[in-house]
Amino acid sequence: MVLDLVVAELEALHERISDRFARSEPRSRVREYVTGLVAGLERKNGWTLAERAGEVSPDGMQRLLRRADWDVDGVRDDVRDYVVERLGDRAGVLIVDDTGFLKKGTRSAGVQRQYSGTAGRVENCQIGVFLAYASAAGHALIDRELYLPESWTSDRDRCRAAGIGGEVEFATKPRLAQHMIERALDAQVPFSWVTADEAYGQVKYLRVWLEERDISYVLATRCNDDVFTRHGRSGRADEMIAAVPAKQWRRISVGDGAHGRREYSWVRIPIRIAWAPGRGHWLLARRSLSDPTEIAYYICAGPRRTTLTELATIAGSRWRVEECFQQAKNEAGLDHYQVRTYRAWYAHITLSMLALAWLAGTKTEAVKGGIGTEDQGMIGYTVPEIRRLLVFLILRHAHPDEHIWSWSHWRRRRQHQARICHYRTRGHVP
C-alpha cells in the first residue's frame, strides 16, 4: 500500500540524516518539522509547526533553524544523494533556475527590490537559485543558494546583523549556478545535459565553463545574441533563424502536459567555426504553433551526433524545475518561512527540499513496485495526491482542548505585544 511506502521512505530519510545532528532534541524535532511542512496547515512557520507538533511555544522550531547544532549543508548532500538513488539516470538533466520569495522590510538576508520571476515584476524579495534533477523517473530539487545583491555584500555591518559571515562575497546568479553544478560533479551525480533559461544562457562565461568540463548544454538565450556560423559569418540569433527555409522547421512534441502534448515547431543551424572532436554546436529555435511570431532561442553544445529531437527534448525539460517550485511551495512549504537570518534561510529551504524529495521518492518507488500504476481508468500517484493521502490518513493530530486554548492565548499575547511595538515605533499611543 502506498501509505506504508510513504512511512518507510520517511524513516529511511530520517535515518540517513540522523548523523548530521549533534543532539537528540533537534534530531527528533526535524522529523516533526518535515512532516509539518507537508501537513494540511494554512501556513507553515515556527508557530504553526510547533502547535501541530504539540509543543508549548515556537522556540524549539525557531532554534532548529537559527542556532541548533546540525550540519545544514550535510543534510543538503543527503537530500541530493537520496534523489540520485531514487531518480538517478545517466540520461538525467540538471536544470538551473531561480525563484523569488516576497518579503516585507529590509532585514531579511539578501532582500531588496529586485525582479522576481514569481511575481513577474520588481518586488521587495529574496531570490533563491536552485538546481533541479530530472530523469524519466521524476524530478526534485537537489541544491540551493541565496543570492546576495551587491547592496548587501558591500555593507558588512548589515551582513553581520543577518548572520552573513565575512567570507561570503558577492556572486552573480550564474556563478552560484556554477558552484552547484560543480558540487554535483564532485558528487558524481549521473547526468548528460544542463539546461537553463536566458538569464543564465546569455552569460558566455557560464557556457565556456561548461565546455571546459565537457558538459553538454541547451541554454536559452536572447534574440539579439551574437553567434558565428560554421563559415565564420556573425549575426543576431533571430536574423539567422529568420533566414532558415520554411521546409526545415519540424513539428516535435517535447513531452506530455496536463492538457495534451507540448508541441512546437523546431529548427537548428550549426554554429562555431571549429568543433572539438566528437562535439557539435548549434543555434536552436522553438516556434509556437498558434503564434509563429513567438520564437525562443537556445545555444547548444553536445555530442556531434545529437539529433534535433534530442535538443528539443532537453530544451523542453526546463518546465520540470517550474513544477518543482510549484510542488515545493504548494506541498512542502518552500515559501512559508518567517526567518531573517542567512543560516535560517538555508535551514528551512533545505528541509523543504527534503520534504519534496520524500514525496517524489515515494512516487518513484510506488511506480517501481507497481503500486497505483495507470490502470482501471486512473492515472498513477502524483506528488500532490500522495501528500493529500498523508494529510488525511496519517498526519492528523488530535490535541486536547487545553493545548488548543493555550496556543490561542500565546498567539494573542504575541500579537498584542507586536501591536504595541508597531505603535511606539510610529510615535503613536497604543
Side-chain angles (χ1 to χ4, degrees), residues 22-302:
R23 298 176 59 246
S24 61
E25 178 190 356
R27 186 184 305 121
S28 174
R29 181 168 283 119
V30 76
R31 183 189 176 106
E32 291 292 345
Y33 194 95
V34 171
T35 54
L37 287 176
V38 302
L41 301 174
E42 184 176 356
R43 292 295 296 171
K44 298 160 185 176
N45 54 47
W47 292 19
T48 58
L49 295 177
E51 181 180 10
R52 177 194 168 276
E55 300 187 3
V56 298
S57 79
D59 295 349
M61 291 296 183
Q62 292 171 348
R63 186 167 56 250
L64 176 69
L65 301 183
R66 296 173 182 171
R67 296 184 299 275
D69 187 7
W70 60 284
D71 185 352
V72 177
D73 285 345
V75 171
R76 172 205 63 199
D77 295 343
D78 292 336
V79 170
R80 179 198 61 221
D81 294 346
Y82 171 83
V83 169
V84 168
E85 287 181 12
R86 297 299 187 270
L87 313 181
D89 187 330
R90 276 290 162 197
V93 181
L94 295 181
I95 312 170
V96 178
D97 203 359
D98 53 70
T99 189
F101 302 93
L102 303 184
K103 303 294 287 183
K104 296 180 179 179
T106 60
R107 291 191 287 175
S108 298
V111 71
Q112 74 168 22
R113 287 191 60 78
Q114 53 193 326
Y115 180 78
S116 166
T118 306
R121 59 184 180 273
V122 174
E123 286 281 0
N124 197 60
C125 64
Q126 295 169 299
I127 300 293
V129 182
F130 289 83
L131 187 66
Y133 184 82
S135 71
H139 46 264
L141 301 172
I142 62 170
D143 209 341
R144 74 291 179 262
E145 290 286 359
L146 177 62
Y147 172 66
L148 296 177
E150 287 186 275
S151 64
W152 272 84
T153 55
S154 62
D155 187 343
R156 301 320 299 187
D157 289 339
R158 190 183 188 194
C159 284
R160 277 191 293 273
I164 302 170
E167 75 284 357
V168 180
E169 299 178 347
F170 174 73
T172 64
K173 294 170 191 174
R175 291 292 184 197
L176 296 177
Q178 283 182 207
H179 297 332
M180 293 189 292
I181 296 170
E182 194 151 36
R183 285 196 288 264
L185 290 171
D186 291 343
Q188 298 183 334
V189 173
F191 70 96
S192 294
W193 294 86
V194 169
T195 188
D197 68 16
E198 70 177 65
Y200 300 88
Q202 67 183 343
V203 179
K204 288 184 171 57
Y205 66 73
L206 177 59
R207 298 185 332 221
V208 170
W209 183 86
L210 291 170
E211 290 173 28
E212 289 174 346
R213 286 152 183 78
D214 206 28
I215 297 174
S216 301
Y217 62 78
V218 176
L219 302 176
T221 192
R222 62 187 189 276
C223 64
N224 63 348
D225 197 0
D226 286 323
V227 293
F228 284 87
T229 67
R230 294 300 306 277
H231 306 293
R233 182 173 61 88
S234 68
R236 288 168 49 119
D238 55 356
E239 293 173 351
M240 289 192 174
I241 292 299
V244 174
K247 64 181 181 181
Q248 291 190 21
W249 288 86
R250 287 182 51 199
R251 182 168 175 165
I252 299 173
S253 170
V254 295
D256 296 331
H259 304 289
R261 293 178 178 174
R262 295 191 303 280
E263 291 185 317
Y264 300 90
S265 290
W266 297 84
V267 74
R268 69 173 178 177
I269 58 174
I271 58 174
R272 299 276 191 93
I273 298 173
W275 288 6
R279 306 294 289 178
H281 300 266
W282 303 271
L283 172 62
L284 175 72
R286 183 199 71 197
R287 187 175 66 192
S288 169
L289 297 178
S290 59
D291 181 4
T293 65
E294 185 181 307
I295 303 177
Y297 304 90
Y298 304 84
I299 299 294
C300 312

